[in-house]
Amino acid sequence: MPIVAEQYGHVVGVDTHARTHTYVIVESATGRVIGQETFSTSPPGLLHAAVWIERRCLAGGVLAAVEGTSTYGARLLEVLSEAGIPVVEVHPPKRGERRNGKSDTIDAEAAARTALRQDVEKLIIPRDGKPRSALRVMLMSRRSMDSHRTGHRNALTALLRSVDLGMDVRRPLTGKQISEIAAWRSRSTDDIDQRVARAEARRLAREILLLGAELRRNKQELRELADALAPGLMNSWGVGPVCAAIFLTAWSHPGRVRSEAAFASLGGVAPIPASSGNTIRYRLSRQGDRQLNRALYVVARARMASDPETRAYVSRRQAEGKTEAEIRRVLKRYIARQIYRELNSIPTLAPTIS
């Protein structure tokens, strides 16, 4: 398995920030720094950086190792990809590894040297593609709207339980009750506290209804985009638009996740040995992408509740003495394998490192 230093003549480490990016070019054969520069993150600055890299790395091929490709380095990723410069993602060094202090130049050089000693097949290929970027934005928006709606529901329930406005709130509010509250009008018989509380309750109810409508629209957009990117993925039992979008954004494109075991590890469902003596068991992993882990959990719960084959499997394992949590853990690993294979059969929409 070749390492980066054997396949590329130069590696460019990039330390990204909001206003400027710092670039350091390391020659693979000698490990010598042959250039360092800082450019603005404006469109002209990014283009100047790409031209500067091409002029300094004329032979042997070049690889860019960039920190933060999904944040500060997102626009740089697009510019370098358009210039034909392959990009991989590297993580900043931990505090204990900073033996030479910290500066933008030091961090950029560390990024280049980190990539130099890695196996080519184990490089982290950043997420790419505008449709997947759109999916990420819609998922972030959905989480924000869902969080706000839950907060408004809790605030409305607390308000109605503290001020008597004629609404029975001993149980969670239903959609019908929220619609009724949103249509309330002021009443001349209300005391001042009831009048203020009624107006606030009406505002909260209308916000809840508005967010509900936005969430439904968001879900439909996720369905359309996920189906366009991965036709048939939502035919899998328990995989809806939201879970499909999470799977797609985590996997991104062929080559980013090198194997089904890596995908399971990314989702935090790779089994971790926790055996002792005569007890053979595996413990829960708390590593990886927690949104991906959550999507696998949702699919597992849906299958355990309604899929005949999964229900039969659960009954068989329960008869063997397995707990529901242990069975769900195995199912999540199986689902990760299945989803990875389905995703990997999608035609390549983004170039991979070769």
Side-chain angles (χ1 to χ4, degrees), residues 2 4 7-8 61-63 86-88 120-121 123 125 255 351-354:
V4 169
Q7 191 157 333
Y8 294 92
V62 58
L63 176 73
V87 180
V88 296
V120 174
E121 294 184 3
L123 291 171
I125 302 174
T352 58
I353 298 297
S354 60

Side-chain angles (χ1 to χ4, degrees), residues 153-174:
R153 272 184 171 272
N154 293 340
L156 179 59
T157 301
L159 176 63
L160 294 175
R161 286 176 177 173
S162 62
V163 180
D164 183 15
L165 296 176
M167 179 69 67
D168 184 2
V169 288
R170 290 175 294 178
R171 294 182 179 179
L173 289 169
T174 63

Side-chain angles (χ1 to χ4, degrees), residues 13 61 71 103 110 201 329 339:
T71 53
S103 70
R329 215 167 290 161
I339 295 298

Side-chain angles (χ1 to χ4, degrees), residues 269 282 296-297 300-301 303-305 309-335:
V269 296
Y282 296 88
L296 293 170
Y297 173 85
R301 286 291 300 270
R303 293 187 181 186
M304 292 173 72
E309 293 184 7
T310 304
R311 289 172 63 87
Y313 171 79
V314 171
S315 298
R316 186 171 70 253
R317 296 308 298 267
Q318 285 178 333
E320 297 172 359
K322 299 294 184 181
T323 66
E324 182 176 331
E326 290 173 329
I327 297 170
R328 187 168 57 244
R329 215 167 290 161
V330 175
L331 282 173
K332 287 165 70 176
R333 176 64 178 89
Y334 168 78
I335 294 167

Side-chain angles (χ1 to χ4, degrees), residues 150-223:
T150 300
H152 289 333
R153 272 184 171 272
N154 293 340
L156 179 59
T157 301
L159 176 63
L160 294 175
R161 286 176 177 173
S162 62
V163 180
D164 183 15
L165 296 176
M167 179 69 67
D168 184 2
V169 288
R170 290 175 294 178
R171 294 182 179 179
L173 289 169
T174 63
K176 183 178 179 180
Q177 287 177 313
I178 293 174
S179 297
E180 181 182 341
I181 294 169
W184 275 354
R185 296 181 179 181
S186 58
R187 299 181 182 180
S188 59
T189 57
D190 284 345
D191 295 332
I192 184 170
D193 63 330
Q194 290 178 316
R195 185 169 67 252
V196 172
R198 191 179 298 278
E200 177 63 10
R202 182 171 62 246
R203 184 190 70 82
L204 289 171
R206 289 175 176 176
E207 288 287 341
I208 292 169
L209 294 177
L210 178 61
L211 287 169
E214 288 294 322
L215 284 168
R216 289 190 293 273
R217 182 184 61 81
N218 175 276
K219 188 174 184 178
Q220 180 59 32
E221 291 178 349
L222 286 174
R223 180 188 302 276

Side-chain angles (χ1 to χ4, degrees), residues 249-281:
T249 54
W251 172 80
S252 185
H253 57 268
R256 179 174 186 264
V257 184
R258 64 182 179 274
S259 67
E260 65 181 36
F263 187 71
S265 180
L266 177 64
V269 296
I272 298 177
S275 304
S276 178
N278 295 327
T279 302
I280 306 299
R281 61 181 293 271

